[in-house]
Amino acid sequence: MRLSDFTLLAICLGARSIVTATRGSITARDNALNPVVTNNVLEITVHDSLYSTSLPSTGSEHLARRRANSLRKRQAITFAEDDLITYKGASYMANVTIGGQPFALEIDTGSYQTWVATTQFRCWDVHTQRVLGQSTCRLGDLFDPTQPFRSTRQTCESRYDSGEVLDGFLGHGPFGFGGVGRGQRPHFTIDQTIGAMTIGMWYGNGISSGVLGLAYPSAPIVWDHLVQEYQSVLFTLFHTQNISPVFSLALQRSTTSSPTAGHLAFGGIPNVHTDGRWVPTPLVRNAQGTYTLYNILIDGFDITPAPKSPSAGWWKNTKGGRYKNSKQNMIIDSGTSKVILPDRVAKYIAGGFDPPAHYEASVEEYIVPCFASSPRVGIKIAGNSYYISAEDLLERRDNIDGDRWQHECSLMIEPAGNSRLILGATWLKNVLVVFDMSNAVEVRRGGRNGDRDQFGEVRIAGREVY
């Protein structure tokens, strides 16, 4: 999620009961919920970047400078699953088809907006008002917006706090996904309205051609301050296909042995190993009292500093961690690479390394020797701690030419300042998350689950080791 200036609308998700899981299966504790393993998964593939981190999707001011960065029982239920692509383990992409043409789009649970750059796209410097080379924006394949893609004759505009600006038009046509990354025909093809961008500035990765928004608005989306009859991809899918209104995400840290970087499943869960500790937690309202994005309430943090670190003394005097009871609203956002925490918590974690991390204001991040001993960092949710692997806490730094700094790493925990708190890809690589929108579908259809105070839940299982 790279926050833009268009209005974020509410997401309405349906609450369900707690589940338990074993390898390859999930078993309901009651008959109200029976999510199943599906082989219909969008795979994520691995690509190295020239830069150490991808751009977080939240609206941090430093983004422009950091390019270096059931379920209700139904009959004949179908599923879709595919493998994903990753950009150096920081941004993740799914393969889709738009108008029959294949593209890789960044998956973003922090946005409901889906768009693709067209063959008419011009990379534009908004400050100098000059056209730049396409290599500056570093977009992937460009979309030819001819038939069967049809313009709605409505403009769309996206502006991001990072300085990224995109303009184009709305259009609709066949949008396919599920199996595309495996060379198969799409499991699902829906008639979908998306943004077709023709000009702007984008800090791309050279692979993705746009964004696949996986948030779920409960009302038409606002583009350019005007309400458009545009619904998200998930909304269209769950209202037009015979599929359970659930999707699940299992990001994976990249390795040299496997090009697969994770799985995105619709209507069920991918067949991946978990620790079996499934915990449900409801979506909660934001500070404005509305349901926007996948916002959950965490219990606090489970942090054990390295024994000889500066934070170790604090930990000894506070058994279980200094911030074990620190309730926070956090957004689950696959479009953000880092975990963004309250400043004091980020500082405590930075001090938990031996030797400790130091804050480098020029890049607005903590820097730590790559050989440092790491603290044990977990996010406490509904009484369970979900830990971040030590190998996900640090990422080696690259300079502008792509040469590797041998001994310095970036800490993948970022102080929030005045920004929102985010559970980004760094944390998501250590869990399997199920997003359940059953009640949202029932509310919109006028079904019996019409309680507007029940907007859904996510269910989480740990998978730190795989």
Side-chain angles (χ1 to χ4, degrees), residues 153-274:
R153 298 185 179 181
Q154 295 174 306
T155 61
C156 61
E157 173 186 282
S158 295
R159 296 185 181 275
Y160 297 85
D161 291 347
S162 61
E164 292 162 302
V165 177
L166 295 159
D167 292 304
F169 61 92
L170 290 178
H172 62 94
F175 188 96
F177 51 95
V180 177
R182 298 174 176 179
Q184 303 169 0
R185 293 175 60 87
H187 291 297
F188 295 108
T189 299
I190 58 178
D191 188 43
Q192 178 64 34
T193 299
I194 65 171
M197 300 306 185
T198 57
I199 189 171
M201 171 57 73
W202 184 252
Y203 302 130
N205 54 35
I207 306 162
S208 68
S209 303
V211 170
L212 172 61
L214 291 177
Y216 189 84
S218 60
I221 288 174
V222 174
W223 290 78
D224 196 17
H225 309 292
L226 298 174
V227 176
Q228 310 286 356
E229 287 302 322
Y230 168 96
Q231 304 293 354
S232 70
V233 168
L234 286 183
F235 188 97
T236 304
L237 173 66
F238 294 141
H239 284 265
T240 62
Q241 305 293 317
N242 190 24
I243 182 173
S244 297
V246 166
F247 79 95
S248 54
L249 187 61
L251 301 186
Q252 188 161 309
R253 66 186 67 97
S254 58
T255 64
T256 56
S257 60
S258 174
T260 300
H263 308 274
L264 172 62
F266 299 94
I269 65 170
N271 188 15
V272 298
H273 176 72
T274 71

Side-chain angles (χ1 to χ4, degrees), residues 126-397:
V126 295
H127 301 292
T128 64
Q129 300 292 297
R130 296 176 58 187
V131 176
L132 306 174
Q134 294 287 56
S135 61
T136 303
C137 288
R138 302 188 70 230
L139 286 157
D141 294 335
L142 300 178
F143 172 58
D144 181 7
T146 58
Q147 295 295 333
F149 190 79
R150 302 171 298 280
S151 172
T152 65
R153 298 185 179 181
Q154 295 174 306
T155 61
C156 61
E157 173 186 282
S158 295
R159 296 185 181 275
Y160 297 85
D161 291 347
S162 61
E164 292 162 302
V165 177
L166 295 159
D167 292 304
F169 61 92
L170 290 178
H172 62 94
F175 188 96
F177 51 95
V180 177
R182 298 174 176 179
Q184 303 169 0
R185 293 175 60 87
H187 291 297
F188 295 108
T189 299
I190 58 178
D191 188 43
Q192 178 64 34
T193 299
I194 65 171
M197 300 306 185
T198 57
I199 189 171
M201 171 57 73
W202 184 252
Y203 302 130
N205 54 35
I207 306 162
S208 68
S209 303
V211 170
L212 172 61
L214 291 177
Y216 189 84
S218 60
I221 288 174
V222 174
W223 290 78
D224 196 17
H225 309 292
L226 298 174
V227 176
Q228 310 286 356
E229 287 302 322
Y230 168 96
Q231 304 293 354
S232 70
V233 168
L234 286 183
F235 188 97
T236 304
L237 173 66
F238 294 141
H239 284 265
T240 62
Q241 305 293 317
N242 190 24
I243 182 173
S244 297
V246 166
F247 79 95
S248 54
L249 187 61
L251 301 186
Q252 188 161 309
R253 66 186 67 97
S254 58
T255 64
T256 56
S257 60
S258 174
T260 300
H263 308 274
L264 172 62
F266 299 94
I269 65 170
N271 188 15
V272 298
H273 176 72
T274 71
D275 62 10
R277 297 181 302 124
W278 283 91
V279 166
T281 188
L283 296 181
V284 298
R285 301 177 189 270
N286 62 14
Q288 289 70 43
T290 60
Y291 290 92
T292 58
L293 310 179
Y294 300 114
N295 192 41
I296 64 171
L297 180 65
I298 70 166
D299 299 335
F301 307 93
D302 190 343
I303 306 168
T304 303
K308 297 181 180 180
S309 68
S311 295
W314 295 339
W315 180 79
K316 290 178 182 178
N317 297 324
T318 312
K319 188 176 180 180
R322 193 179 188 193
Y323 296 104
K324 62 178 181 178
N325 297 313
S326 179
K327 292 186 181 296
Q328 308 284 343
N329 284 342
M330 299 195 70
I331 298 170
I332 301 175
D333 179 14
S334 65
T336 295
S337 59
K338 293 187 176 183
V339 174
I340 302 178
L341 299 180
D343 293 7
R344 66 188 187 282
V345 179
K347 183 178 181 179
Y348 179 66
I349 293 172
F353 285 86
D354 179 23
H358 68 275
Y359 190 74
E360 194 166 302
S362 62
V363 292
E364 296 184 328
E365 65 181 10
Y366 282 100
I367 305 301
V368 62
C370 297
F371 56 82
S373 298
S374 297
R376 185 78 164 138
V377 178
I379 308 296
K380 292 181 62 178
I381 301 172
N384 276 0
S385 294
Y386 295 94
Y387 294 100
I388 301 172
S389 170
E391 57 189 305
D392 295 322
L393 281 175
L394 299 180
E395 186 173 279
R396 286 190 179 273
R397 302 182 72 193

